[in-house]
Tab-separated table of all heavy atoms in Angstrom:
chain	number	residue	atom	x	y	z
A	89	THR	N	-14.904	19.756	34.219
A	89	THR	CA	-13.712	19.718	33.117
A	89	THR	C	-13.759	21.009	32.358
A	89	THR	O	-14.276	21.020	31.214
A	89	THR	CB	-14.045	18.473	32.278
A	89	THR	OG1	-15.328	18.463	31.735
A	89	THR	CG2	-13.645	17.316	32.849
A	90	PRO	N	-13.175	22.060	32.859
A	90	PRO	CA	-13.192	23.366	32.201
A	90	PRO	C	-12.564	23.483	30.896
A	90	PRO	O	-12.761	24.433	30.076
A	90	PRO	CB	-12.469	24.305	33.267
A	90	PRO	CG	-11.661	23.479	34.121
A	90	PRO	CD	-12.374	22.119	34.167
A	91	ASP	N	-11.641	22.452	30.595
A	91	ASP	CA	-10.781	22.521	29.331
A	91	ASP	C	-11.345	21.515	28.314
A	91	ASP	O	-10.576	21.177	27.319
A	91	ASP	CB	-9.363	22.235	29.581
A	91	ASP	CG	-8.587	23.451	30.022
A	91	ASP	OD1	-9.027	24.618	29.614
A	91	ASP	OD2	-7.543	23.423	30.786
A	92	SER	N	-12.426	20.924	28.521
A	92	SER	CA	-12.929	19.829	27.670
A	92	SER	C	-13.066	20.294	26.146
A	92	SER	O	-13.137	19.462	25.327
A	92	SER	CB	-14.287	19.346	28.105
A	92	SER	OG	-15.295	20.319	28.124
A	93	ILE	N	-13.082	21.556	25.967
A	93	ILE	CA	-13.241	22.083	24.711
A	93	ILE	C	-12.042	21.907	23.786
A	93	ILE	O	-12.019	22.050	22.500
A	93	ILE	CB	-13.452	23.670	24.765
A	93	ILE	CG1	-14.164	24.227	23.554
A	93	ILE	CG2	-12.294	24.401	25.057
A	93	ILE	CD1	-14.702	25.622	23.722
A	94	PHE	N	-10.920	21.303	24.439
A	94	PHE	CA	-9.610	21.075	23.717
A	94	PHE	C	-9.322	19.560	23.709
A	94	PHE	O	-8.297	19.005	24.314
A	94	PHE	CB	-8.445	21.704	24.468
A	94	PHE	CG	-8.629	23.266	24.579
A	94	PHE	CD1	-8.412	23.973	25.772
A	94	PHE	CD2	-8.910	24.015	23.547
A	94	PHE	CE1	-8.567	25.190	25.927
A	94	PHE	CE2	-9.086	25.431	23.509
A	94	PHE	CZ	-8.883	26.051	24.749
A	95	PRO	N	-10.119	18.696	22.899
A	95	PRO	CA	-10.034	17.290	22.999
A	95	PRO	C	-8.814	16.715	22.361
A	95	PRO	O	-8.304	15.575	22.619
A	95	PRO	CB	-11.203	16.773	22.156
A	95	PRO	CG	-11.486	17.820	21.289
A	95	PRO	CD	-11.114	19.145	21.889
A	96	ASN	N	-7.972	17.508	21.640
A	96	ASN	CA	-6.888	16.987	20.851
A	96	ASN	C	-5.729	16.781	21.884
A	96	ASN	O	-4.763	15.994	21.512
A	96	ASN	CB	-6.415	18.101	19.835
A	96	ASN	CG	-5.535	19.142	20.515
A	96	ASN	OD1	-5.934	19.817	21.492
A	96	ASN	ND2	-4.304	19.354	19.914
A	97	ASN	N	-5.911	17.144	23.141
A	97	ASN	CA	-4.858	16.751	24.146
A	97	ASN	C	-4.922	15.451	24.756
A	97	ASN	O	-3.987	14.884	25.154
A	97	ASN	CB	-4.794	17.881	25.278
A	97	ASN	CG	-4.567	19.284	24.698
A	97	ASN	OD1	-5.099	20.179	25.164
A	97	ASN	ND2	-3.573	19.359	23.782
A	98	TRP	N	-6.161	14.840	24.661
A	98	TRP	CA	-6.258	13.524	25.409
A	98	TRP	C	-6.403	12.446	24.389
A	98	TRP	O	-6.286	11.311	24.744
A	98	TRP	CB	-7.331	13.520	26.414
A	98	TRP	CG	-8.831	13.692	25.898
A	98	TRP	CD1	-9.596	14.819	25.840
A	98	TRP	CD2	-9.753	12.651	25.466
A	98	TRP	NE1	-10.844	14.617	25.409
A	98	TRP	CE2	-10.782	13.205	25.216
A	98	TRP	CE3	-9.585	11.203	25.346
A	98	TRP	CZ2	-11.984	12.526	24.612
A	98	TRP	CZ3	-10.639	10.523	24.803
A	98	TRP	CH2	-11.906	11.149	24.521
A	99	VAL	N	-6.691	12.644	23.018
A	99	VAL	CA	-6.926	11.558	22.169
A	99	VAL	C	-6.403	12.041	20.774
A	99	VAL	O	-6.379	13.174	20.416
A	99	VAL	CB	-8.405	11.267	22.198
A	99	VAL	CG1	-9.262	12.390	21.578
A	99	VAL	CG2	-8.703	9.941	21.387
A	100	SER	N	-5.959	11.096	20.004
A	100	SER	CA	-5.625	11.152	18.554
A	100	SER	C	-6.001	9.831	17.838
A	100	SER	O	-6.020	8.706	18.330
A	100	SER	CB	-4.157	11.442	18.305
A	100	SER	OG	-3.230	10.355	18.705
A	101	PHE	N	-6.473	10.188	16.536
A	101	PHE	CA	-7.143	9.026	15.709
A	101	PHE	C	-6.280	8.916	14.459
A	101	PHE	O	-5.968	9.910	13.858
A	101	PHE	CB	-8.506	9.423	15.446
A	101	PHE	CG	-9.466	9.802	16.456
A	101	PHE	CD1	-9.543	11.120	16.941
A	101	PHE	CD2	-10.008	8.752	17.279
A	101	PHE	CE1	-10.402	11.413	18.036
A	101	PHE	CE2	-10.929	9.123	18.351
A	101	PHE	CZ	-11.066	10.414	18.732
A	102	HIS	N	-5.918	7.625	14.202
A	102	HIS	CA	-4.844	7.447	13.042
A	102	HIS	C	-5.435	6.556	11.930
A	102	HIS	O	-6.449	5.798	12.133
A	102	HIS	CB	-3.823	6.831	13.728
A	102	HIS	CG	-3.082	7.737	14.687
A	102	HIS	ND1	-2.041	8.591	14.306
A	102	HIS	CD2	-3.422	7.920	15.989
A	102	HIS	CE1	-1.621	9.318	15.508
A	102	HIS	NE2	-2.531	8.893	16.445
A	103	ALA	N	-4.920	6.703	10.794
A	103	ALA	CA	-5.316	6.050	9.597
A	103	ALA	C	-5.305	4.556	9.653
A	103	ALA	O	-6.102	3.825	8.869
A	103	ALA	CB	-4.639	6.370	8.315
A	104	ASP	N	-4.527	3.917	10.522
A	104	ASP	CA	-4.407	2.457	10.646
A	104	ASP	C	-5.567	2.040	11.593
A	104	ASP	O	-5.580	0.707	11.943
A	104	ASP	CB	-3.031	1.958	11.107
A	104	ASP	CG	-2.606	2.666	12.436
A	104	ASP	OD1	-3.470	3.425	13.114
A	104	ASP	OD2	-1.484	2.444	12.790
Side-chain angles (χ1 to χ4, degrees):
T89 49
D91 276 334
S92 62
I93 203 167
F94 304 131
N96 81 309
N97 298 139
W98 66 265
V99 67
S100 66
F101 306 98
H102 299 264
D104 57 5

